[in-house]
Every structure is written in structure tokens, then in C-alpha cells.
Amino acid sequence: MPLMVWTQSLSVGVAQFDNEHKKLITLINDLFDAIQSGRGRQMLGSVLDELIEYTQTHFAHEEYQLKVLGFPGYEAHKREHEALGKKVLEIQRKYHGGATATLSMELMSFLKTWLVDHIQGVDALYVAFVKERGLH
Ligand SMILES: [Fe+2]
């Protein structure tokens, strides 16, 4: 059973961002599998690195579009991304520093909850705006 499943309730109506959110969900599921199956530290570390890198790529894509389109909530949205970015980099730093315990189920539920809350709470705020400007 995957930890997360993308459903229409997570759609932001922009194909590129939906696809990127799906990829994030896949990476969170991969991390979950790696933890559950007790795979090695190195494996966990590389999945975590990939998830963090892809998160930054996705945030950059969203921020670029919101900026180009002149979305009024751009700054606030960017700050939300930065807050998560800081948190996950802290987790990554601790992990590579040897604190295996930080990569726990607690982290997984944090990532899952954060992603769902962000998509449905914060990303949802740009949906109507970007659609009106032809992004879909
Ligand atoms: Fe976002």
C-alpha cells in the first residue's frame, strides 16, 4: 500500500503542476517504502536527496509561473515554499550527520500532511488566477 495516492481532489487544474505533484507523491512513497523495508542508510539518503531536489525544482517552476503572471500572492507563496525548504534541509543535514532517527514515520506523515495541506490550502489560491490567464 502506498502512503499517498494522487486523486482529483489534489488537482490544481494545471497539467504541469499536477504532474509534478504526482512525482512528489511517488518520491514520498519511495521514501516510505525504503524506510518500511529497512533498506540501507545509503539508499534512504539518496531517496531523501532526490525528494528534496525535486521539491526545489517544482517550487521553482511554480514560483516562476506565478511571478510571470503577476500573481498577487506570489511573495506569500514563495515564503511558504522557503519555510518547507528550510525544514527539509535541516532534516537532510541531520540525516547526513548521522541522526537516522530523524527519518522516521513522523517525517513521512509530516511530508504527507504538508503536501496535501499545501496543495489544497496554498496552491488552491492560485488556481482561478492562473486559469483566467490561460494556464492549464
Ligand atoms: Fe506551491
Side-chain angles (χ1 to χ4, degrees):
M1 268 285 279
L3 179 72
M4 291 184 79
V5 177
W6 189 92
T7 64
Q8 202 57 36
S9 70
L10 291 174
S11 179
V12 294
V14 179
Q16 182 194 351
F17 298 155
D18 280 348
N19 287 332
E20 291 180 356
H21 289 150
K22 286 175 191 169
K23 166 97 175 167
L24 282 173
I25 287 173
T26 300
L27 290 171
I28 289 174
N29 285 331
D30 287 350
L31 190 57
F32 178 68
D33 285 347
I35 292 171
Q36 271 204 325
S37 62
R39 262 177 267 168
R41 230 191 114 71
Q42 208 181 344
M43 173 72 184
L44 279 184
S46 64
V47 178
L48 179 65
D49 292 347
E50 194 185 347
L51 172 64
I52 291 171
E53 197 185 309
Y54 193 75
T55 302
Q56 300 295 0
T57 302
H58 165 62
F59 285 173
H61 290 161
E62 267 189 8
E63 287 167 19
Y64 173 79
Q65 279 299 341
L66 295 180
K67 191 170 189 167
V68 164
L69 295 173
F71 179 58
Y74 167 77
E75 289 295 339
H77 201 117
K78 194 168 185 277
R79 278 197 298 276
E80 288 279 343
H81 287 166
E82 280 165 2
L84 179 78
K86 255 189 179 162
K87 219 162 194 167
V88 291
L89 284 175
E90 173 79 357
I91 290 165
Q92 189 185 38
R93 204 175 49 78
K94 277 188 194 156
Y95 181 75
H96 288 299
T100 317
T102 54
L103 256 195
S104 60
M105 288 300 165
E106 245 174 86
L107 166 66
M108 296 315 302
S109 75
F110 162 74
L111 288 173
K112 177 183 174 177
T113 307
W114 186 88
L115 187 60
V116 171
D117 287 354
H118 183 78
I119 294 173
Q120 293 183 333
V122 183
D123 287 345
L125 300 173
Y126 68 59
V127 173
F129 182 88
V130 301
K131 271 188 179 170
E132 273 166 27
R133 282 149 188 86
L135 199 66
H136 52 79

